[in-house]
Amino acid sequence: MPLPDKDFDVTETSIPYNYLKLSVPNIEIEFSTENGNVAECDPLLLTGVIFGKLGASEEAKGYYAEMIQSEAFQHPIPYRDLDMERYDAIILPGGHAKGMRQYLESQTLRDKILPFFLRCTEGGDKVCAAICHGTLVLARTIDPTTQKSVLFNLKTTTLPKYMEFNAYMITFWKLGDYYRTYPVYLQGSSGINAEYGGRKFDFYVRYT
């Protein structure tokens, strides 16, 4: 589970972590950050984003407390040292605060994910799950044989614009652009193109 150094989402990491620990016998879950630093979540999700609300549930916070005490979490692998052949699955969690940009913009991470993801989509033996803003890591991962995003012609879930917009409108008077990871919204390839160098990603999005 790759993470930024700070501002990842509590729920989108701890709930999958707990589920997999309980449902997959003998599973080993490892974490990765850009330079091997121990990651820190978005602190507002533990205390409540505004008036004690819009944060993680008590259940998620309990799972988070367990997750961060694990040996794997306390000793993350640097992105550059990831040996993707060792893994059966990868989870790309989200988060919306500005610290997420480190993870969302890492070319090193995308280079590691590319061959792994291709083995997920070509009837291979790997599994890739992306949550919320985590989808953006895949949208920015370019297959050199097609010069298109690895999500081209695929359906995926992501964060709907209306949810990002509503969260921003509810909180901007107190927190400014806290809910805007980028000046553009995640939904829609045109917005991503404008923000990230004009490259066309051509991917379809399904909301569930």
Side-chain angles (χ1 to χ4, degrees), residues 63-131:
Y63 297 151
Y64 172 76
E66 175 186 345
M67 181 182 75
I68 64 174
Q69 292 172 13
S70 69
E71 184 75 11
F73 188 89
Q74 291 297 319
H75 296 89
I77 301 167
Y79 293 164
R80 63 181 177 274
D81 294 337
L82 286 170
D83 178 3
M84 301 304 289
E85 286 294 322
R86 297 181 56 243
Y87 303 112
D88 298 305
I90 184 171
I91 296 176
L92 300 170
H96 50 262
K98 300 298 184 290
M100 285 292 294
R101 292 181 178 183
Q102 177 192 32
Y103 152 78
L104 298 176
E105 297 175 4
S106 172
Q107 184 62 52
T108 301
L109 181 59
R110 294 197 293 269
D111 289 343
K112 293 289 185 177
I113 287 173
L114 174 60
F116 185 93
F117 187 80
L118 294 178
R119 289 179 62 179
C120 300
T121 57
E122 297 174 353
D125 55 349
K126 304 294 185 180
V127 175
C128 180
I131 307 170

Side-chain angles (χ1 to χ4, degrees), residues 107-180:
Q107 184 62 52
T108 301
L109 181 59
R110 294 197 293 269
D111 289 343
K112 293 289 185 177
I113 287 173
L114 174 60
F116 185 93
F117 187 80
L118 294 178
R119 289 179 62 179
C120 300
T121 57
E122 297 174 353
D125 55 349
K126 304 294 185 180
V127 175
C128 180
I131 307 170
C132 195
H133 277 74
T135 311
L136 190 52
V137 177
L138 296 176
R140 290 172 167 174
T141 299
I142 304 301
D143 183 344
T145 63
T146 64
Q147 289 302 304
K148 297 179 182 293
S149 168
V150 294
L151 293 182
F152 177 72
N153 273 341
L154 299 179
K155 292 184 178 181
T156 184
T157 58
T158 191
L159 176 66
K161 179 178 178 179
Y162 79 89
M163 292 181 66
E164 196 172 5
F165 174 78
N166 288 342
Y168 168 70
M169 292 301 293
I170 290 170
T171 61
F172 82 93
W173 62 274
K174 184 175 177 63
L175 299 175
D177 63 353
Y178 164 75
Y179 266 108
R180 298 295 299 277

